[in-house]
Amino acid sequence: MSIATFVLRRLARGVLTIWFAVTVTFLLLRLLPGDPALAVASPNMTEAARAALLEQYGLDKPLIVQYGLYLVQLVQGNLGVSFTQSVPVLDVLMQRLPWTLLLTGTALVATVLVGVPLGVIAASKRGTVADRAVQVIGVVGQSLFVPSVGVLLLYTFGLVLGWLPIGGAYDTGTYGNEWYLSVLSHLVLPATSLVLIQLGSYVLTMRSTLIDALGEDYTTLAHANGLPARRVLWKHALRNALLPTTTLIGLQLGFLVGGAVLTETVFAYPGIGRGIYEAVTQLDFPVLQGAFLMLAATVVVVNMITDVIYGFLDPRVKTA
Amino acid sequence: MSADKTLGGAGTVPLSAAEAMTSTTAEPVADENGRASAATWRAFRREPLGLLAGGLLALLVFVAIAAPLLSPYPASFGENVLRPPGGGEWFGTDALGRSVYAEVVWGTQQSLLVAAAASLIAIAFGTLVAVVGAYFRSIDGFIGVVVDLTLSLPVLPLMILIAALVGPSTTTIILVVAAFSWPEVTRIVRSQALTVVNLPYVDAARLMTTSPVWIITKHVVPTVTPVIVVSVVVTASRAVLSAAGLAFLGLGDPTTWSWGRILYEAQQSGAMSSAWWLTLFPSLAILALVLSATLLSIAYNDARNPKSRRR
């Protein structure tokens, strides 16, 4: 299989995933008990406006036709109109998307930068106190509830110590370099919360795949050839053990995004997640629907990128 | 036993703690054999961490059942608003003067109920899909795709959308959490079931009977039972987190107390960051439940695996 076929296959998979998300959303909106019109028509509308809106959305037509119309609208980028703000949902979300991308992107990079070395330490010093400590971090990390972690950090570093801001994404009235610094300082606590809940899976996966790699024949051969242990670990075993970790990034994305929704709520961070929280309070269904689809699309795109990187990293993809 | 089995298999795999801790998955061992399960139990009793986790879990179950004896229902509004812990109130009071201790105690019931009900539904459905798929290979491909697709989506925003549409109630939360937990169960059980259906004794069973139901219930399900046990625990602890997350966003059952609701009300009243006791105690309860469940599954896994048993 050439690399081109591999990339094409992954792209097709991404498109399939988005189609699946869209179809599930459509079926849920139309088939769940309750008025299907609820999802597009605000309860505060007059009867005439409501009827016009239902016709515009084709809600008076058979299900399959509605499905077709729904797909066409999504392709055109039409996610409906927010009840509360009376602006297109797409505009609302596009304003918020960069913040969510900044937060989750920072958290992801930091998690990998911290998690991989911790896993390497645990695997290479198997059975020692350091290994035990890393395993504890891994297991406890997987049991954490994001809002709890967020509030703990906010209380400690924001209120008691006063080192970092307790909410929002930047200070109003700052410009230039000052603005960047303010964005950075607002990012620290929410990103740390996300790193803490993600770290466990990365550390434990890294540890177990590296332990397996260290038991492989090629590692024994490298040792027998007289290579320094450090070189065998970092150059030979780690490079192979990193591949499953690359896959893990893609698999944890959905979980990361869910964590971001809760973290943004705690820190009043103006991303899509905080938007979801506000939309829940106001029962703004178009925003909730649009937010899910946009987050799903983001996850799929990032997944495709990691898949393609994987294809270039793993020589077996080209030869298989 | 290599990365291939833990990581290859179904293709896509966020490792749960239980899987990743023991880098070797135990070979399928039928637990019908009394001696094997007795050995597992003996090894388990020697693991202090597992017993500790079991004890903690038992304590939480006791609190849930005995809630009416431990505290009155936190309905009455007191005059002492936002009092820190001390005096007559162990855990302090909330913005409306209600006892946080009473809220946590009564919240245990709801949190355990949702976790147990959602994970049982998810386990039953997930196992059924996995086992039937593994046995009838023609539909397995379809099941694999659906599981992969669901697992790659951000499910919390989807759960939020549904819970908001249907309206928050205990039943809604149980069903929504179950609906998005079964693919994880299917993924874990399926990879195990796929190796089982190719074993010679299943072929032998095919010569004895033509009933797939009989083969599946008598041969496939008992063999994957240990995996199911682990996945009950993992699924239940994730269900706790999902339900708490929904409640934290205001989608919990507004008529009963849950740990997530205490956090939600703290957030709504604006006292969340200053009144630390409002967050600390429900958070500790969530951590205790999830952590003890995770440790229990790890201890069970280790005890079951002869390679990691202590000599």
Side-chain angles (χ1 to χ4, degrees):
Chain A
M1 182 165 61
S2 74
I3 195 90
T5 336
F6 177 79
V7 170
L8 273 181
R9 233 182 238 192
R10 291 302 153 128
L11 288 180
R13 202 192 128 95
V15 173
L16 179 70
T17 314
I18 292 181
W19 170 80
F20 180 73
V22 166
T23 307
V24 166
T25 315
F26 172 81
L27 289 176
L28 286 173
L29 290 178
R30 296 299 187 275
L31 300 183
L32 280 178
D35 187 355
L38 202 65
V40 285
S42 162
N44 305 328
M45 286 175 175
T46 63
E47 261 319 297
R50 185 184 161 91
L53 195 75
L54 291 191
E55 203 191 326
Q56 184 203 330
Y57 280 88
L59 282 174
D60 45 353
K61 299 195 175 64
L63 201 64
I64 187 79
V65 180
Q66 288 186 31
Y67 180 58
L69 288 172
Y70 185 75
L71 289 184
V72 169
Q73 280 176 347
L74 287 183
V75 170
Q76 293 167 342
N78 181 356
L79 290 171
V81 176
S82 161
F83 289 169
T84 44
Q85 292 165 292
S86 302
V87 283
V89 169
L90 191 67
D91 297 354
V92 178
L93 295 175
M94 283 316 260
Q95 271 179 356
R96 292 177 168 272
L97 185 64
W99 293 113
T100 298
L101 290 180
L102 177 69
L103 175 61
T104 49
T106 312
L108 184 61
V109 172
T111 309
V112 172
L113 288 182
V114 178
V116 169
L118 280 181
V120 172
I121 292 171
S124 60
K125 304 191 169 161
R126 202 178 168 188
T128 63
V129 178
D131 181 23
R132 260 314 201 196
V134 169
Q135 287 188 53
V136 169
I137 294 175
V139 173
V140 174
Q142 286 194 329
S143 313
L144 294 174
F145 183 50
V146 208
S148 304
V149 179
V151 175
L152 179 71
L153 292 176
L154 192 152
Y155 184 76
T156 315
F157 296 99
L159 283 171
V160 176
L161 297 172
W163 293 350
L164 290 161
I166 57 164
Y170 55 88
D171 292 316
T172 45
T174 49
Y175 301 97
N177 284 339
E178 217 183 314
W179 187 78
Y180 284 108
L181 269 179
S182 124
V183 167
L184 198 65
S185 66
H186 283 82
L187 190 60
V188 176
L189 290 182
T192 310
S193 314
L194 286 179
V195 170
L196 289 176
I197 58 152
Q198 290 254 95
L199 200 59
S201 327
Y202 283 85
V203 168
L204 293 181
T205 307
M206 191 66 233
R207 177 181 176 274
S208 72
T209 51
L210 189 56
I211 285 175
D212 284 341
L214 286 171
E216 295 281 343
D217 290 345
Y218 65 78
T219 333
T220 317
L221 179 69
H223 279 299
N225 279 343
L227 289 180
R230 181 178 285 261
R231 194 180 156 83
V232 176
L233 174 66
W234 292 95
K235 271 294 224 188
H236 296 255
L238 180 62
R239 280 178 72 171
N240 284 288
L242 271 178
L243 288 173
T245 311
T246 321
T247 331
L248 186 69
I249 294 180
L251 297 167
Q252 287 281 26
L253 278 175
F255 180 63
L256 174 64
V257 166
V261 172
L262 299 170
T263 312
E264 287 177 5
T265 303
V266 171
F267 289 95
Y269 203 79
I272 292 187
R274 179 76 185 188
I276 288 181
Y277 169 69
E278 284 160 16
V280 165
T281 324
Q282 295 151 339
L283 289 182
D284 196 338
F285 295 117
V287 170
L288 286 179
Q289 182 204 179
F292 165 66
L293 290 176
M294 181 156 283
L295 291 176
T298 312
V299 165
V300 167
V301 170
V302 179
N303 240 329
M304 284 198 281
I305 297 172
T306 52
D307 274 348
V308 170
I309 294 174
Y310 187 95
F312 282 101
L313 285 179
D314 190 345
R316 282 171 300 190
V317 169
K318 273 169 269 183
T319 52
Chain B
M1 184 54 236
S2 61
D4 239 338
K5 201 152 182 193
T6 22
L7 286 165
T12 68
V13 228
L15 284 189
S16 66
E19 287 172 279
M21 284 287 287
T22 43
S23 66
T24 35
T25 312
E27 296 303 317
V29 179
D31 254 11
E32 285 163 321
N33 183 340
R35 276 166 52 214
S37 56
T40 300
W41 174 233
R42 266 202 310 279
F44 184 82
R45 274 183 312 188
R46 275 202 298 265
E47 184 65 63
L49 213 55
L51 286 182
L52 197 70
L56 196 55
L57 210 56
L59 178 71
L60 286 168
V61 173
F62 169 77
V63 170
I65 296 170
L69 301 174
L70 295 171
S71 161
Y73 191 79
S76 56
F77 301 89
E79 287 169 7
N80 300 325
V81 170
L82 287 178
R83 283 286 171 85
E89 284 302 341
W90 295 13
F91 292 0
T93 59
D94 72 2
L96 293 174
R98 290 167 299 200
S99 157
V100 177
Y101 168 73
E103 291 172 1
V104 171
V105 165
W106 283 85
T108 310
Q109 215 168 42
Q110 170 79 355
S111 302
L112 285 184
L113 172 75
V114 170
S119 65
L120 282 182
I121 297 173
I123 294 285
F125 187 72
T127 306
L128 181 75
V129 170
V131 174
V132 169
Y135 191 82
F136 301 102
R137 301 306 292 272
S138 52
I139 54 169
D140 186 53
F142 174 74
I143 290 171
V145 170
V146 170
V147 167
D148 274 5
L149 291 180
T150 317
L151 287 177
S152 63
L153 290 176
V155 288
L156 185 67
L158 194 52
M159 289 186 193
I160 293 168
L161 174 64
I162 301 170
L165 269 172
V166 183
S169 74
T170 305
T171 322
T172 310
I173 291 162
I174 291 173
L175 291 179
V176 166
V177 172
F180 295 100
S181 303
W182 70 264
E184 180 67 26
V185 178
T186 303
R187 183 186 71 75
I188 298 172
V189 176
R190 178 172 165 259
S191 61
Q192 188 82 355
L194 281 176
T195 61
V196 174
V197 291
N198 289 327
L199 293 178
Y201 72 81
V202 176
D203 284 336
R206 283 203 185 95
L207 295 175
M208 307 270 297
T209 174
T210 51
S211 160
V213 176
W214 195 81
I215 298 178
I216 288 175
T217 51
K218 289 282 172 197
H219 291 288
V220 183
V221 171
T223 322
V224 297
T225 301
V227 189
I228 298 175
V229 171
V230 171
S231 115
V232 168
V233 171
V234 173
T235 313
S237 59
R238 291 207 182 152
V240 175
L241 293 179
S242 301
L246 286 175
F248 174 68
L249 293 167
L251 290 167
D253 189 329
T255 59
T256 48
W257 280 98
S258 67
W259 296 331
R261 182 180 158 196
I262 306 175
L263 296 173
Y264 168 71
E265 299 216 338
Q267 162 101 356
Q268 287 280 308
S269 68
M272 186 172 218
S273 43
S274 49
W276 53 268
W277 56 93
L278 289 183
T279 325
L280 182 68
F281 297 108
S283 296
L284 284 179
I286 296 174
L287 183 67
L289 178 53
V290 178
L291 194 59
S292 58
T294 313
L295 288 175
L296 203 61
S297 73
I298 292 171
Y300 172 75
N301 241 0
D302 282 352
R304 186 169 61 84
N305 185 352
K307 285 180 205 155
S308 62
R309 266 182 212 157
R310 289 184 185 174
R311 281 164 292 267

